[in-house]
Amino acid sequence: MSETAKLQQRWEAALMGTYGTPPIALVSGSGCQVVDADGRTYLDLVAGIAVSALGHAHPAVVEAVRRQVATIAHTSNLYINPVALELAERLVALVGDDSARVFLCNDGATANEAAIKAVLRMQAGRRRFVAAERSFHGRTLGALALTGKAAIREPFGPFGIEVEFVPYGDGEALASAVDETTAAVFLEPTLGEAGVVPPPAGYLTSARAACDAAGAVLVIDEVQGGIARTGKWFAHQHEGVVPDLITLAKGLGGGLPIGACIGIGAAASALQRGDHGSTFGGNPVSCAAALAVIDVIETEGLLDHVEELGRQWSADLAAGGVELVTGVRGRGLWLALETKAGAAPAIEFASRDRGFIVNATGPDAVRLAPPLILTADAARTFSEALPGIVSEAASAVRLSA
Ligand SMILES: *Cc1c(COP(=O)(O)O)cnc(C)c1O
């Protein structure tokens, strides 16, 4: 029996079934490579779902975490923790607005929970939210209420907030859903879990205008798209809009758990003493990792790297797709191969067979969200392998048809 199979058996006997049984077990990583329990090496083009921004075991993250855990690992929020303070200062600077204030938490869902509470504090008497169909905002009850996937949301309702869902990318539908009863609009800058689906140009600008006209708050969920994933610090900066609240998590900690909710203008002071809190929010070790991530992105010019490599790679991928891949969408290192219906899982499988970790987000999209340090040479190994992967996947799809 393989080591992987043994781990799968133990997994099923000890863990709740929320994820199904994963196909492989990852035991170590270095740079953009990961190693599974049976010693096979893969090029990691998913980065733990846009989390491992600097890849695996990056020396800057390792050193920051090692130093911090040996200095002080936890303070609680009864005391100032200078590492969290420095991270908050850096995030305010990245937002580029001195009015911004930061709440630090533990992950994407809790960042969105903080944003929901900030909205409820700001919008006395308004309890209606607008969010997008197919959106994903997290699994806790507030974030789940805003998530536009009925299959994962409906078993757990009703929720404490009322949410109207509009088709993502349709500025007119959004504008007609937002009125003076709307507390806030929650949007991803590009749908991440739905398969890296960018909106048409001008969508976020029209959302900002609809919110301004109705006195509604605009929350942009940058949990997946933020922290340089698209070649800007925040994906919404490509459109130049200024949200009231920004939520962050995945890429921020470079693999350590952390989330942040950033308020700008009136939203910066919506939550006051006693309104919110988190035991682990602002944990010094996670914050030290996040500071290392931000430093490396700055000192190594990763914003430009991500933008340029993303442009080149998507062109190469589009050329090599043949047969099952009908296009490439997304920006920076946040891309999806658009596939014929039903082909994406077979492409994920055939990719893994040839040493590449990619992620089928559904039947017709394969997500690529590699570490931001991915080199052009490493990226090319996948675009060059793609025709072979696709033909292997095509025969698998034919066999099962
Ligand atoms: C992953 C994700 C979340 C939830 O983050 P968790 O850390 O899993 O709670 C929220 N919003 C978006 C856009 C995400 O991609």
Side-chain angles (χ1 to χ4, degrees):
M1 194 190 244
S2 70
E3 292 307 312
T4 301
K6 287 183 211 158
L7 291 169
Q8 286 171 325
Q9 276 192 350
R10 284 170 52 201
W11 169 280
E12 285 165 12
L15 284 138
M16 289 191 186
T18 53
Y19 304 109
T21 305
I24 57 172
L26 297 182
V27 297
S28 68
S30 174
C32 295
Q33 307 268 8
V34 288
V35 181
D36 78 10
D38 286 296
R40 278 181 305 244
T41 298
Y42 306 85
L43 181 66
D44 180 6
L45 300 177
V46 177
I49 317 188
V51 166
S52 305
L54 304 184
H56 303 276
H58 191 287
V61 174
V62 171
E63 184 46 32
V65 166
R66 197 200 305 278
R67 198 179 336 111
Q68 191 59 47
V69 79
T71 304
I72 187 166
H74 177 76
T75 61
S76 87
N77 290 301
L78 299 172
Y79 314 103
I80 289 178
N81 140 22
V83 195
L85 169 57
E86 188 182 345
L87 177 61
E89 290 170 343
R90 295 290 287 277
L91 291 173
V92 169
L94 295 183
V95 167
D97 186 320
D98 287 344
S99 76
R101 294 291 183 274
V102 179
F103 179 81
L104 292 169
C105 49
N106 309 302
D107 54 26
T110 56
N112 284 326
E113 295 294 330
I116 292 167
K117 285 180 72 175
V119 168
L120 294 175
R121 265 297 193 210
M122 292 169 77
Q123 300 283 47
R126 297 193 190 198
R127 284 292 180 275
R128 263 190 67 249
F129 288 71
V130 174
E133 290 168 5
R134 302 163 69 207
S135 65
F136 184 80
H137 297 291
R139 301 290 197 151
T140 55
L141 291 179
L144 186 60
L146 293 161
T147 289
K149 293 180 181 170
I152 66 172
R153 183 187 67 246
E154 281 177 353
F156 303 100
F159 305 97
I161 56 173
E162 183 196 329
V163 183
E164 179 176 345
F165 292 98
V166 295
Y168 186 75
D170 182 340
E172 280 173 28
L174 181 68
S176 53
V178 177
D179 61 25
E180 59 293 332
T181 69
T182 308
V185 173
F186 265 72
L187 288 175
E188 293 167 82
T190 277
L191 296 176
E193 292 308 294
V196 194
V197 184
Y203 181 59
L204 298 180
T205 308
S206 64
R208 178 73 272 180
C211 287
D212 288 345
V217 170
L218 178 62
V219 185
I220 303 286
D221 180 343
E222 291 272 0
V223 166
Q224 192 161 149
I227 309 298
R229 176 77 19 217
T230 64
K232 292 208 185 286
W233 285 106
F234 308 113
H236 67 265
Q237 289 174 328
H238 290 287
E239 259 196 46
V241 296
V242 180
D244 300 291
L245 289 150
I246 299 168
T247 55
L248 294 174
K250 292 191 166 90
L252 178 59
L256 276 284
I258 188 169
C261 172
I262 307 174
I264 301 167
S269 55
L271 292 173
Q272 289 295 323
R273 183 173 182 163
D275 279 341
H276 201 43
S278 164
T279 297
F280 289 112
N283 172 267
V285 180
S286 291
C287 289
L291 285 167
V293 168
I294 293 170
D295 278 342
V296 170
I297 291 171
E298 279 176 353
T299 57
E300 295 188 6
L302 291 183
L303 293 175
D304 289 344
H305 168 73
V306 165
E307 178 122 47
E308 280 157 30
L309 178 56
R311 200 175 300 119
Q312 182 58 51
W313 200 30
S314 44
D316 292 348
L317 291 165
V322 298
E323 240 185 310
L324 297 181
V325 176
T326 54
V328 178
R329 63 186 180 229
R331 180 170 208 156
L333 292 179
W334 201 22
L335 302 173
L337 308 177
E338 300 167 341
T339 77
K340 291 200 175 144
I347 291 173
E348 177 186 306
F349 186 89
S351 298
R352 199 160 56 234
D353 209 32
R354 292 170 187 234
F356 300 96
I357 303 248
V358 302
N359 166 238
T361 57
D364 59 2
V366 176
R367 172 168 48 187
L368 303 171
L372 308 179
I373 58 166
L374 184 73
T375 63
D377 284 347
R380 202 174 309 112
T381 62
F382 181 67
S383 39
E384 287 175 1
L386 188 59
I389 289 168
V390 166
S391 64
E392 182 181 327
S395 25
V397 169
R398 270 194 303 274
L399 280 177
S400 70

